[in-house]
Structure formats: structure tokens, C-alpha cells
């Protein structure tokens, strides 16, 4: 983390993201693992109602979302994206990149350890990282979105100064969110609109997918018969991830406000994992008939399953139903033992349920079950959104499991676009609609504090004398504990005091750690923690440092200051504070 100094004059409070710009354009992007969409709105357009881009390159039909897909040539240049890339036929030397190479490679565990990447996912294209593909896709999506929004609303569209809201899965940690932010800035989603526009990066807002979906669903309270002081769970079941969050409705309509009740959760158990399991099943069934397992044939099987059978599959009532998948190589001999007859593979519904659907659906059910146990209050509604929620089998299983405990279990009519519409609605509100969030992890620092009696008894080996001759002990200092309730935008301030032997000793470095443990730990060896980012702060511009440094002192001197930490639904931000004033915004240096 670095902080830009502001000189010796009293600092001006840095401009914070404002909700006060009446009429400002708000654009939201739901960058999905399988499908992506764009929505926008302004109080001056369509009476403030959210609009969606429906017309896309490569089709005369309208679509609320398009495939998250890229087609590269041999040199690594994008030759098609979205619908055009998805529908492109074989091109010599070209590489098609679909769902499997995008957001799943930014999943937190995959970021820390490549060995945790699902082995069923194909390799990335040569010379490309997942982040490169995300930048390329967002660049294509954004350039087209700007053109289309301008066509739809005319010259009034000021896209250079628009707020851009980008959604991310709830399970992502701050490192993944920061990588997505960096990719979005590299793709040009926000840029300086004019001379002196120093806060242009703040126009890019990161919001968690369930929070965005919750805002949209809370605006549909008449549909779901919800009222103030009632609680509802959002299950955002998408292509790659399933995210869960629980909220309470505090206000309604023009005074809409919702508050998070417990820590969010999520897992990689979205609908594409049905596709992966189906592909493995086909490989097993046709193991003795490899002529049907070439790339084109497998892609044909999977497309038929994904586009047709996956969403209309009904479960146990389809156990005796036969599902037919056409083969390309019809000259291969029949094999009745595996259902290969006349160029078709026929699979029994019970086999699909056992090998494909139930393992994934059961994981979703257990995820919901675990989330309900976190809430010690009544749940009045469970609202399913996201593309996977359109699965009749998933919806039925959720109803069967929870109907006796939750009064309303429903899907909004536009469940597949709840996230992108909710993010745009949040921007249009020009005020925080989610009043409080729950810290999903503990955030802490390793610090050296004056040794106490407990330290001499428990960790004498951790105690050292500092340059001033004071006995200090290496401890953990909690900025916020896991599960803590925080007001939106609440700043957690911690006072620090740096000892400098000379005027050149002006840099302060601290490391921010996270922990998933519910236990509050005093010492650095009591449990597993993960390094999140470093704080490197140049104190040389602070008046007290300059004053002390200008006076010769062989014993050195101390500089006291504060660091403020802000936790949002998806991001971690910080600020250097001196004598109660903001002295510089923090840019975190995340561990790669």
C-alpha cells in the first residue's frame, strides 16, 4: 500500500464517492462466468427506470445477456466476442475461450494456489493469463456498451463521467476484487474525464452479486409480500458460483434501506458444474468409442445438454425418461450396452440425476442450509436469482427442503438479470441502500506492543527491547473481528506511533492479514492467517515529523498518526489520518 503525501499544508479532505450528482449516468456490468449483461440509468432518462442493452453484435434478436466468450487468432488478437464468438465455426489456428477460462481462475483459493484450480477446467490459451482475458472481454463489452447507450439515449450520455458498477461473487476476497478492479481500469471502464479529475478511479464501484440482487428484489416487495422488519435470503445461483446473503428490510419505496444480518457465503457450484459433470459422464459412457470424443463431438453434446436438457430437467419424475444426444460420426457401430444406436447416445434420466444433477444441487442445498443456521432470526423469504435458478429441478429441491421453514420461496420474473439491474438501481439511488454489512473475515495487523505481564508469562521469547529501550512483544491487533456489524462506510481507526532514529527513517510498513477463524487470538502463532496486503506509508510530509526531524536529537523521535480502514461489501479501502484530518487515500499493495 502506498499513500501519496499532500505536503506540509493542512490537507483537503479527499473527495469521497458521492451520491449527490443528480442526473448522473450509472452503468452496471454483470460480468458473469457464463453470461454477461449491461444495464444503465439516470434520473433524466425514462423517469429514472433502469434500462438494459438488448441488441448485440451477431444477432438480430434481442438478448438480456450474452455469452462470456472470446475468439482469438493465432497472434492473440480478439477477432470476435460475445454471440459472434460463441456461434463462430471452426477457424484455423483460432482459440475460443468460454466460461472455463474467466472468473473461476480468479477464485480466492485459485489465486493463492494454482493446484486448487478445478482439474476439469481446460488450460488457458498459450501466453494468456485469466486476467488478460478478462481485460479483453471487458474492453470489447464496454466499447460496444458506450456506442449502444449513446445510440439509445443520444448526446445526453456523458459516459466519460458515468459511475460504473461492477459485480463480483460474494465468496471473493479483497485480493480477487482488487484484481477485478485493476482489470476493469485497464479495460478503460473509467478514465479521467477532464483536467484535474483526480478522483476518476473512484467512479468504478465494486459491489457483491448478492448485494446487488438484494437491492433489486427489495424493490419488488409487493411481489413477494415483504414488509419492514422482515428478513430475506438471496440465493444468487449463477453459472460459476452460488452466493448467499441475508438481509432485513428497514425502509420501503423511496426510503428503501436493507441491512445485512450475517456473513455472506458462496461456493463454486453453479450451473456450469453440471456441464462439467455431464462431459465426464459422456467420456465414461463412450470410453470404448473414442471416435465420438473428439473436440467437436464433445462440444456438440455439451451444447445440446446446456441449451436444452439442463434447464427443463425435472428430477425423479424424469428417471425413466430417455435423453437423446446426436453423434457426428454416425458410421460407428451400435453398442446397445451403452445406449449407442443409429448415431445417437441415449441416457436414462436416473443416470443423469445420479451422476450430473444431484451432486451439484445437493451442494447448493447444503450451502443454503448452512446459511440458514447462521441466522438466529426467522427467515420470511428465500429469493432465487441468477441463471441457474431457472432450473426447475433446483427450484423444486429448494422448495421441498425449506418450504416448512420459510414462508415465501420464489423467483423474480427477471431472475437472470436481478444482479445487473440491482447494481444499476443502487447507483441511481445516489445513497447507500445497504445500511450495514457483516465483516466476512477478521482483519488484523501484526504489531509490536509494550509487553504486559501476560506476555512475560505466555510468550517471553517474543519480547524484545526496541531502539528506545522499551520492552515490546509481537502481537496481533484486530481492526475488526469476523462477524462484526459495520455501518456502510464506517471507518475503523487505529493509532500508530513510529520511532525514527533519523530524518531519513520516514517509512512505516504494516501488513494487513485476514483470518476465517471466529476466535480472537492474541499472538501471531495461535492460528492460520493470510497476508492480504502491505501498507507502506511515507510519513515525511506530516508536520510533526518535519518539525521533529528538523531538530537534532541523538535519541530519535516519535511520530503519531492514525490509519483508517473501510470495509464495503466487496472491497477494502484505507486512509492516512493526522490530527483528525484525512491526509491521503490508501492504495493497497495486494499479495499476488
Amino acid at each position: 500500500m502506498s499513500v501519496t503525501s499532500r505536503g506540509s499544508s493542512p490537507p483537503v479532505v479527499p473527495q469521497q464517492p458521492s451520491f449527490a450528482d443528480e442526473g448522473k449516468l450509472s452503468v452496471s456490468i454483470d460480468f458473469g462466468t457464463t453470461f454477461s449483461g449491461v444495464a444503465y440509468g439516470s434520473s433524466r432518462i425514462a423517469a429514472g427506470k433502469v434500462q438494459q442493452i438488448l441488441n448485440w453484435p451477431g444477432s438480430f434478436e434481442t438478448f438480456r445477456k450474452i455469452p462470456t466468450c472470446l475468439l482469438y487468432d493465432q497472434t492473440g488478437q480478439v477477432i470476435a466476442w460475445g454471440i459472434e464468438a460463441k456461434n463462430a465455426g471452426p477457424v484455423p489456428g483460432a482459440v475460443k475461450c468460454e466460461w472455463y477460462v474467466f472468473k473461476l481462475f480468479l477464485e480466492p483459493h485459485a489465486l493463492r494456489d494454482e493446484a486448487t484450480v478445478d482439474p476439469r477446467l481446460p488450460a488457458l490459451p498459450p501466453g494468456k493469463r485469466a486476467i488478460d482475458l478478462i481485460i479483453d472481454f471487458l474492453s470489447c463489452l464496454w466499447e460496444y456498451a458506450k456506442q449502444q447507450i449513446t445510440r439509445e439515449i443520444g448526446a445526453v450520455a456523458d459516459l466519460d463521467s458515468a459511475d460504473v458498477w461492477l459485480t463480483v461473487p460474494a465468496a471473493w476476497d479483497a485480493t480477487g476484487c482488487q484484481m477485478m478492479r485493476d482489470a476493469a481500469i485497464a479495460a478503460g471502464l473509467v478514465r479521467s474525464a477532464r483536467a484535474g479529475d483526480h478522483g476518476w478511479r473512484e467512479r468504478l464501484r465494486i459491489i457483491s452479486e448478492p448485494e446487488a440482487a438484494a437491492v433489486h428484489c427489495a424493490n419488488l416487495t409487493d411481489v413477494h409480500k415483504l414488509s419492514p422488519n422482515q428478513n430475506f435470503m438471496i440465493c444468487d445461483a449463477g453459472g460459476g458460483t452460488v452466493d448467499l446473503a441475508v438481509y432485513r428490510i428497514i425502509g420501503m419505496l423511496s426510503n428503501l434501506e436493507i441491512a445485512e444480518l450475517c456473513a455472506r457465503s458462496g461456493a463454486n457450484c453453479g450451473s456450469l458444474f453440471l456441464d462439467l459433470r455431464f462431459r465426464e459422464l459422456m467420456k465414461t459412457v463412450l470410453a470404448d468409442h473414442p471416435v465420438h470424443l473428439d473436440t467437436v463431438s464433445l462440444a456438440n453434446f455439451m451444447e445440446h445438454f446446456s441449451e436444452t436438457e439442463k434447464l427443463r430437467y425435472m428430477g425423479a419424475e424424469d428417471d425413466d425418461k430417455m435423453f437423446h444426444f446426436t453423434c457426428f460420426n454416425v458410421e460407428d457401430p451400435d453398442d446397445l450396452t451403452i445406449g449407442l444406436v443409429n448415431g445417437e447416445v441415449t441416457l436414462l434420466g436416473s443416470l443423469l440425476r445420479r451422476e450430473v444433477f444431484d451432486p451439484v444441487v445437493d451442494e447448493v442445498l447444503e450451502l443454503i442450509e448452512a446459511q440458514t443456521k447462521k441466522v438466529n432470526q426467522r427467515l420470511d423469504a428465500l429469493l432465487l436469482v441468477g441463471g441457474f435458478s431457472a432450473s426447475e429441478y433446483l427450484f423444486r429441491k429448494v422448495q421441498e427442503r425449506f418450504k416448512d421453514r420459510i414462508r415465501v420461496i420464489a423467483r423474480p420474473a427477471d431472475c437472470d438479470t436481478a444482479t445487473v439491474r440491482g447494481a444499476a438501481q443502487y447507483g441511481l439511488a445516489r445513497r447507500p441502500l445497504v445500511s450495514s454489512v457483516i465483516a466476512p473475515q477478521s482483519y488484523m495487523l501484526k504489531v509490536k506492543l509494550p509487553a504486559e505481564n501476560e506476555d512475560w508469562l505466555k510468550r517471553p521469547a517474543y519480547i524484545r527491547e526496541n531502539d528506545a529501550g522499551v520492552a515490546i512483544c509481537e502481537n496481533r491487533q484486530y481492526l475488526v473481528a469476523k462477524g462484526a456489524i459495520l455501518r456502510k462506510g464506517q471507518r475503523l481507526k487505529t493509532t500508530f506511533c513510529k520511532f525514527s532514529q533519523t530524518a531519513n527513517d520516514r517509512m512505516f510498513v504494516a501488513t494487513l492479514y485476514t483470518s476465517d477463524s471466529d476466535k480472537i487470538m492474541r499472538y501471531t502463532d495461535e492460528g492460520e492467517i493470510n497476508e492480504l496486503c502491505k501498507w507502506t506509508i511515507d510519513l515525511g510530509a506530516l508536520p510533526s515529523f518535519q518539525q521533529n526531524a528538523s531538530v537534532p536529537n541523538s535519541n530519535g523521535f516519535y511520530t503519531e498518526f492514525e490509519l483508517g480502514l473501510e470495509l464495503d461489501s466487496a472491497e477494502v479501502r484505507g486512509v492516512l489520518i493526522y490530527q483528525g484530518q484525512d491526509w491521503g487515500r490508501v492504495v493497497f499493495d495486494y499479495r499476488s
Side-chain angles (χ1 to χ4, degrees):
M1 175 204 79
S2 62
V3 177
T4 303
S5 301
R6 294 182 174 272
S8 58
S9 58
V12 177
V13 176
Q15 184 178 358
Q16 302 291 325
S18 171
F19 291 93
D21 299 325
E22 186 67 29
K24 191 175 184 181
L25 195 64
S26 178
V27 183
S28 62
I29 296 176
D30 179 12
F31 173 59
T33 309
T34 50
F35 290 91
S36 297
V38 178
Y40 63 92
S42 165
S43 61
R44 298 173 182 171
I45 301 169
K49 294 182 179 179
V50 170
Q51 310 294 305
Q52 278 191 255
I53 293 181
L54 301 175
N55 297 292
W56 299 95
S59 177
F60 292 108
E61 299 180 59
T62 58
F63 294 94
R64 296 192 293 190
K65 284 188 170 184
I66 57 168
T68 305
C69 185
L70 287 169
L71 187 66
Y72 287 96
D73 65 14
Q74 292 172 305
T75 65
Q77 298 298 309
V78 177
I79 55 179
W81 64 283
I83 296 172
E84 291 181 330
K86 178 72 174 180
N87 294 338
V91 178
V95 178
K96 183 181 292 188
C97 300
E98 299 187 67
W99 41 262
Y100 54 79
V101 294
F102 284 95
K103 286 164 66 178
L104 292 183
F105 283 89
L106 290 188
E107 192 271 333
H109 296 295
L111 283 169
R112 295 189 179 93
D113 182 5
E114 292 183 0
T116 64
V117 174
D118 194 308
R120 294 170 297 180
L121 299 178
L124 293 168
K128 290 285 185 179
R129 303 168 300 161
I131 200 73
D132 298 325
L133 274 64
I134 290 172
I135 293 172
D136 289 343
F137 185 82
L138 287 177
S139 296
C140 295
L141 185 71
W142 181 240
E143 286 304 313
Y144 178 79
K146 289 195 297 183
Q147 297 171 16
Q148 189 63 21
I149 292 172
T150 301
R151 279 194 290 266
E152 291 180 4
I153 65 177
V156 71
D158 182 10
L159 287 156
D160 287 336
S161 62
D163 287 333
V164 179
W165 296 76
L166 187 62
T167 64
V168 296
W172 279 18
D173 61 12
T175 306
C177 294
Q178 183 62 37
M179 291 185 70
M180 182 61 81
R181 169 176 281 277
D182 293 341
I185 290 175
L189 269 62
V190 290
R191 61 186 62 185
S192 178
R194 60 192 177 279
D197 184 14
H198 302 299
W200 60 271
R201 290 179 180 84
E202 299 297 331
R203 290 199 295 273
L204 176 63
R205 318 289 180 86
I206 306 294
I207 183 172
S208 71
E209 291 169 356
E211 183 172 339
V215 169
H216 177 67
C217 291
N219 278 282
L220 302 175
T221 50
D222 287 344
V223 178
H224 306 303
K225 304 295 186 271
L226 291 176
S227 58
N229 297 320
Q230 290 191 320
N231 307 322
F232 67 99
M233 180 187 294
I234 290 292
C235 175
D236 185 0
T241 59
V242 174
D243 298 318
L244 300 170
V246 181
Y247 298 92
R248 165 170 287 189
I249 296 177
I250 298 175
M252 299 287 286
L253 300 178
S254 61
N255 295 316
L256 176 67
E257 184 180 330
I258 60 177
E260 193 173 27
L261 289 184
C262 65
R264 302 177 302 276
S265 63
N268 286 340
C269 51
S271 64
L272 76 84
F273 289 93
L274 296 176
D275 299 351
L276 293 175
R277 294 191 69 87
F278 174 76
R279 183 171 64 182
E280 294 304 309
L281 175 62
M282 294 301 285
K283 286 182 177 180
T284 300
V285 169
L286 295 170
D288 294 331
H289 298 266
V291 69
H292 299 301
L293 295 177
D294 61 281
T295 302
V296 175
S297 296
L298 270 177
N300 182 62
F301 290 144
M302 292 185 66
E303 182 174 4
H304 177 68
F305 171 77
S306 180
E307 301 294 332
T308 306
E309 308 297 354
K310 183 167 67 174
L311 292 180
R312 72 183 187 186
Y313 177 79
M314 301 298 288
E317 67 185 67
D318 284 341
D319 276 359
D320 296 327
K321 180 179 176 180
M322 307 304 292
F323 291 82
H324 305 280
F325 301 91
T326 303
C327 302
F328 277 169
N329 301 294
V330 295
E331 296 181 0
D332 191 50
D334 292 349
D335 187 342
L336 296 178
T337 63
I338 62 168
L340 178 60
V341 180
N342 295 329
E344 277 190 344
V345 177
T346 303
L347 300 180
L348 194 60
S350 59
L351 178 64
L352 286 175
R353 182 165 60 84
R354 184 178 70 248
E355 299 297 330
V356 177
F357 286 92
D358 278 354
V360 178
V361 170
D362 286 347
E363 189 172 353
V364 176
L365 294 176
E366 291 307 314
L367 199 64
I368 298 174
E369 187 72 61
Q371 190 72 6
T372 62
K373 292 178 179 178
K374 293 181 182 179
V375 186
N376 57 3
Q377 302 178 40
R378 184 185 72 250
L379 275 175
D380 299 289
L382 170 56
L383 306 178
L384 284 78
V385 300
F388 192 12
S389 68
S391 165
E392 287 300 323
Y393 184 48
L394 173 62
F395 188 62
R396 284 187 176 189
K397 294 292 283 186
V398 170
Q399 284 183 312
E400 290 174 8
R401 180 80 166 262
F402 300 101
K403 64 183 179 182
D404 294 332
R405 288 180 275 169
I406 304 175
R407 178 174 58 87
V408 175
I409 299 176
R411 292 176 292 191
D414 51 359
C415 60
D416 60 324
T417 58
T419 296
V420 71
R421 295 181 70 85
Q425 286 166 334
Y426 203 119
L428 283 175
R430 301 296 167 199
R431 62 182 179 87
L433 297 179
V434 178
S435 61
S436 65
V437 295
I438 305 296
Q441 299 172 299
S442 293
Y443 293 84
M444 67 196 75
L445 297 170
K446 286 184 179 180
V447 295
K448 294 177 180 179
L449 300 173
E452 300 177 355
N453 290 336
E454 182 179 353
D455 302 323
W456 286 104
L457 288 172
K458 294 182 176 180
R459 295 294 191 280
Y462 280 34
I463 299 175
R464 298 284 188 276
E465 283 193 359
N466 65 8
D467 294 336
V470 177
I472 58 172
C473 180
E474 187 174 276
N475 298 82
R476 294 177 178 176
Q477 181 164 344
Y478 279 76
L479 301 177
V480 60
K482 179 180 179 180
I485 302 173
L486 304 172
R487 293 289 298 179
K488 196 82 164 184
Q490 178 181 343
R491 182 175 292 173
L492 307 165
K493 295 189 289 187
T494 304
T495 301
F496 293 88
C497 191
K498 174 178 169 54
F499 176 77
S500 301
Q501 190 69 52
T502 68
N504 292 326
D505 185 11
R506 55 193 286 176
M507 306 305 292
F508 176 84
V509 180
T511 303
L512 184 63
Y513 294 88
T514 61
S515 171
D516 290 320
S517 173
D518 295 317
K519 178 185 176 183
I520 300 294
M521 295 167 282
R522 180 179 178 89
Y523 301 104
T524 58
D525 60 357
E526 288 186 281
E528 183 179 355
I529 58 176
N530 297 306
E531 180 181 327
L532 178 64
C533 60
K534 289 190 181 298
W535 289 2
T536 304
I537 303 168
D538 185 352
L539 302 177
L542 297 183
S544 62
F545 184 95
Q546 293 180 350
Q547 181 179 349
N548 289 324
S550 65
V551 179
N553 187 346
S554 60
N555 294 324
F557 57 91
Y558 287 93
T559 303
E560 189 172 287
F561 60 97
E562 288 182 305
L563 291 179
L565 186 73
E566 297 174 4
L567 300 180
D568 211 331
S569 67
E571 292 189 284
V572 180
R573 296 181 296 272
V575 63
L576 172 63
I577 305 168
Y578 177 72
Q579 293 185 346
Q581 293 181 297
D582 291 1
W583 204 267
R585 295 295 289 180
V586 169
V587 180
F588 293 111
D589 178 19
Y590 285 89
R591 185 177 69 85
S592 60

